[in-house]
């Protein structure tokens, strides 16, 4: 007996899917903004000559990059309550994404910082700028510009990785898909559609990151 | 009281001792040329004066105050001592004007309008009134170096250190930069420059300092030093240059 496709069976659940898209978007936006900010601070610490802080950040980066995201998520959601830290599904999902992206973007942004010619930093020093001023006005923007494509890819990876958050019942897109197919047994149709939705979201996200990058690095008056 | 006084400066990179007890006074309005062979420690000395190299021993006094190793001491030092490098080192994401405005604005906390006024004045001084809104990659090497000079001048330093400011330039661009330096010298700016332009040094400088193997080997008025070198090393160095030219 051949399987009869019935995409119409998904239609009644459109609200669930839409909710999933919204939550995935929220997770991605909040996770990326905080995660990249963390990465900027982490990269600064790694590139600075403060050995203790740099090593602490190094341990954090290696810890996160060498363990599965799912385990990190479970640790935060199921493990931390043992220490009295009880988070909602959304909070746990965001925290896991922030910690994960923070580690990866630390390494990416550090590479950008290290690519800034030492002479420019020395010129800034000789102009009596302090560390914070040098980082803010001389280093960070050209550094981000150099690694923007890599950072954009990492953000897309994090968005796609957010599907794992369905495992703690955060009601994002994959969770919605799992839920719908459990009700109507239309696994092919549901996952087919959800694949398409993720694809469109990725393409949109890449495009928006590109536009944002162009805005950020555009030649205009900064000072 | 000298503007800058160096006393018994020692500096090593690992095993290699590069500065072996340098004593030097820089007087207000003086124009000093540092000459010597490659590797004799000229750049290291300039960088030490500006706190870009930490010295192993010795004291640096600026305007009568000893420079310690606290961060604030370094910043005060650099407010008095500006520097221009061989490789321009402009900030690529800012226009010429913004490059010059940046430090007056963020370090000296001038308002944007005040910083702009100072920056424009300096860029006009170095002959770049028509290039203010250009980015570094839209400027020739000579123009970039003149922006770098304007950028250092905008902080109103009391001494300007110049490390081979024409060495990275194509020959036809050397003169426009030297002209700016000459003008500064004529205006009474205190200058210490490392240079291989002997003729320029002879014409512009009050004092010539010959470095050899990490020491000040000989120094004096340019005419004397060139005409009657007292040491074989300097005679050799000067002779070598004449031979090459
Ligand atoms: N950061 C560093 N680490 C190790 N050695 C260094 C460093 N900087 C300079 N040196 C060494 O110190 C010595 C003096 O260098 P310096 O750059 O002061 O010479 P210089 O007189 O400016 O030479 P040049 O005319 O080639 O510019 C050289 O032997 C150089 O290799
Ligand atoms: Mg040198």
């Amino acid at each position: 007996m051949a399987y009869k496709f019935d995409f119409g069976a998904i239609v009644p659940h459109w609200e669930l899917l839409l909710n999933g898209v919204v939550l995935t978007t929220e997770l991605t936006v909040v996770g990326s903004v905080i995660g990249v900010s963390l990465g900027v601070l982490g990269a600064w610490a790694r590139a600075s000559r403060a050995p203790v802080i740099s090593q602490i950040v190094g341990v954090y980066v290696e810890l996160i990059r060498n363990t599965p995201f799912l385990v990190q998520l479970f640790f935060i959601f199921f493990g931390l309550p043992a220490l009295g830290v009880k988070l909602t599904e959304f909070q746990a999902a965001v925290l896991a994404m922030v910690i994960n992206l923070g580690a990866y973007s630390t390494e990416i942004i550090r590479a950008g910082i290290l690519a800034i010619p030492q002479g420019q930093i020395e010129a800034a020093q000789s102009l009596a700028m302090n560390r914070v001023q040098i980082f803010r006005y001389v280093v960070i923007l050209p550094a981000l510009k150099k690694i923007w494509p890599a950072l954009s890819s990492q953000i897309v990876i994090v968005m796609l990785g957010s599907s794992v958050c369905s495992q703690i019942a955060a009601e994002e897109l994959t969770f919605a898909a799992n839920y719908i197919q459990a009700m109507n047994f239309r696994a092919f149709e549901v996952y087919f559609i959800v694949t398409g939705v993720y694809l469109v979201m990725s393409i949109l996200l890449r495009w928006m990151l590109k536009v944002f990058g162009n805005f950020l690095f555009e030649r205009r008056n900064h000072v | 009281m000298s503007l800058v006084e160096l006393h018994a400066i020692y500096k090593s990179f690992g095993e290699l001792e590069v500065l072996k007890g340098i004593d030097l006074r820089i007087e207000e309005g003086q124009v000093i040329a540092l000459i010597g062979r490659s590797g004799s420690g000229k750049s290291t000395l300039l960088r030490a004066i500006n706190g870009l190299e930490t010295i192993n021993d010795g004291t640096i006094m600026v305007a009568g105050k000893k420079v310690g190793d606290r961060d604030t001491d370094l910043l005060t030092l650099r407010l008095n001592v500006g520097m221009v490098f061989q490789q321009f080192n402009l900030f690529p994401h800012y226009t010429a004007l913004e490059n010059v405005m940046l430090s007056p604005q963020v370090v000296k906390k001038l308002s944007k309008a005040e910083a702009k006024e100072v920056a424009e004045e300096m860029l006009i001084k170095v002959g770049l009134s028509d290039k203010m809104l250009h980015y570094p990659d839209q400027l020739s090497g000579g123009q970039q170096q003149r922006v770098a000079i304007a950028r250092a001048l905008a902080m109103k330093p009391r001494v300007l250190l110049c490390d081979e400011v024409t060495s990275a330039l194509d020959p036809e661009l050397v003169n426009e930069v030297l002209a700016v330096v000459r003008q500064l010298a004529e205006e009474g700016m205190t200058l210490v420059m490392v240079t291989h332009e002997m003729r320029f040094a002879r014409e512009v400088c009050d004092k010539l300092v010959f470095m050899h193997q990490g020491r000040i080997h000989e120094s004096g008025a340019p005419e004397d030093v060139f005409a009657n070198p007292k040491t074989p090393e300097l005679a050799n160095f000067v002779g070598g240059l004449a031979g090459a030219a």
Side-chain angles (χ1 to χ4, degrees):
Chain A
M1 193 183 72
Y3 183 83
K4 286 195 66 180
F5 295 103
D6 181 10
F7 284 94
I10 313 301
V11 175
H13 304 288
W14 68 272
E15 262 183 281
L16 270 175
L17 283 180
L18 186 63
N19 272 335
V21 170
V22 169
L23 200 81
T24 293
T25 306
E26 283 175 7
L27 283 174
T28 305
V29 171
V30 179
S32 304
V33 169
I34 306 178
V36 171
S37 308
L38 187 64
V40 168
L41 292 178
W44 189 15
R46 285 292 274 158
S48 80
R49 265 157 267 161
V52 178
I53 300 173
S54 168
Q55 273 168 21
I56 292 173
V57 175
V59 169
Y60 152 66
V61 168
E62 291 312 317
L63 182 69
I64 297 303
R65 295 206 306 172
N66 293 292
T67 52
F69 180 58
L70 183 60
V71 173
Q72 296 162 13
L73 180 68
F74 279 179
F75 184 82
I76 290 169
F77 188 65
F78 298 118
L80 286 189
L83 302 179
V85 182
K86 181 88 190 74
L87 300 174
T88 66
E89 293 83 356
F90 183 81
Q91 289 166 343
V94 165
L95 184 59
M97 288 168 73
V98 162
I99 289 176
N100 192 270
L101 181 58
Y104 280 94
S105 59
T106 289
E107 279 309 278
I108 295 173
I109 296 168
R110 177 164 92 122
I113 292 176
L114 294 180
I116 303 295
Q118 188 61 22
Q120 282 171 30
I121 293 164
E122 290 182 348
Q125 287 175 330
S126 76
L127 290 164
M129 286 191 228
N130 64 31
R131 281 162 217 266
V132 178
Q133 290 162 343
I134 294 174
F135 187 74
R136 175 163 165 209
Y137 294 106
V138 176
V139 172
I140 190 61
L141 214 55
L144 281 178
K145 185 175 177 179
K146 280 181 210 287
I147 50 79
W148 194 249
L151 189 60
S152 300
S153 292
Q154 193 62 43
I155 291 172
V156 172
I157 289 172
V158 162
M159 182 197 78
L160 297 176
S162 72
S163 71
V164 164
C165 299
S166 60
Q167 296 300 314
I168 58 166
E171 297 179 4
E172 44 69 71
L173 187 52
T174 304
F175 181 87
N178 296 344
Y179 186 82
I180 293 167
Q181 76 87 28
M183 285 196 301
N184 65 10
F185 305 110
R186 290 283 164 189
F188 182 91
E189 289 86 340
V190 172
Y191 290 119
F192 186 84
I193 288 173
V194 165
T195 301
V197 173
Y198 270 118
L199 186 62
V200 170
M201 288 177 75
S202 292
I203 292 169
L204 273 178
L205 180 58
R206 269 183 202 283
W207 176 77
M208 289 191 299
L209 285 168
K210 200 169 166 181
V211 170
F212 182 60
N214 289 346
F215 164 76
L216 208 56
F217 310 123
E218 185 192 12
R219 301 204 139 178
R220 68 187 132 84
N221 287 349
H222 295 274
V223 186
Chain B
M1 181 179 69
S2 310
L3 193 48
V4 179
E5 279 176 52
L6 306 181
H7 183 63
I9 306 288
Y10 286 84
K11 170 69 185 176
S12 304
F13 293 108
E15 295 287 287
L16 180 71
E17 194 170 48
V18 176
L19 300 180
K20 304 171 186 168
I22 301 278
D23 292 286
L24 182 68
R25 289 163 171 273
I26 305 168
E27 311 294 341
E28 188 108 46
Q30 204 171 31
V31 178
I32 299 179
L34 270 182
I35 60 171
R37 285 189 199 294
S38 180
S40 57
K42 306 179 299 290
S43 296
T44 307
L45 179 59
L46 275 202
R47 291 165 56 80
I49 299 176
N50 204 18
L52 291 174
E53 301 288 357
T54 48
I55 52 178
N56 300 106
D57 202 7
T59 50
I60 301 177
M61 313 252 289
V62 175
K65 273 214 225 93
K66 186 171 182 291
V67 180
D69 40 14
R70 288 174 310 163
D71 276 4
T72 49
D73 277 14
L74 270 186
L75 294 183
T76 319
L77 164 74
R78 288 167 180 160
L79 281 174
N80 287 306
V81 182
M83 183 147 178
V84 183
F85 303 82
Q86 189 173 339
Q87 305 290 340
F88 337 133
N89 295 330
L90 296 183
F91 308 132
H93 54 306
Y94 293 137
T95 60
L97 186 64
E98 291 165 344
N99 263 278
V100 183
M101 282 170 68
L102 180 64
S103 214
Q105 228 180 322
V106 307
V107 176
K108 289 198 160 169
K109 312 286 182 211
L110 298 193
S111 73
K112 192 169 173 167
E114 290 166 332
K116 191 161 179 239
E117 201 181 309
V118 176
E120 284 172 347
E121 183 195 330
M122 294 306 158
L123 283 167
I124 290 168
K125 192 184 180 74
V126 299
L128 289 174
S129 51
D130 55 338
K131 302 287 181 195
M132 293 194 188
L133 300 181
H134 288 235
Y135 284 86
D137 61 8
Q138 299 166 332
L139 298 170
S140 73
Q143 291 166 340
Q144 288 188 52
Q145 189 61 293
R146 286 186 280 150
V147 174
I149 293 172
R151 180 174 68 176
L153 291 177
M155 290 299 280
K156 309 267 160 92
R158 299 179 65 181
V159 194
L160 189 62
L161 311 175
C162 301
D163 192 0
E164 297 196 38
V165 292
T166 58
S167 292
L169 297 176
D170 292 335
E172 70 271 20
L173 301 177
V174 167
N175 281 336
E176 66 187 50
V177 174
L178 290 184
V180 169
V181 178
R182 183 189 298 266
Q183 184 196 338
L184 290 177
E186 280 161 7
E187 288 170 5
M189 180 84 205
T190 311
L191 291 169
V192 181
M193 51 188 172
V194 175
T195 184
H196 292 298
E197 307 280 342
M198 290 306 147
R199 232 189 54 197
F200 181 76
R202 193 173 202 153
E203 286 166 15
V204 172
C205 299
D206 314 317
K207 183 174 173 182
L208 211 78
V209 173
F210 172 62
M211 283 189 69
H212 186 68
Q213 298 184 345
R215 295 197 171 84
I216 294 183
H217 206 69
E218 219 179 305
S219 69
E223 314 80 53
D224 299 344
V225 169
F226 278 119
N228 321 299
K230 291 189 192 63
T231 60
E233 288 79 8
L234 179 56
N236 221 324
F237 181 73
V238 175
L241 289 169

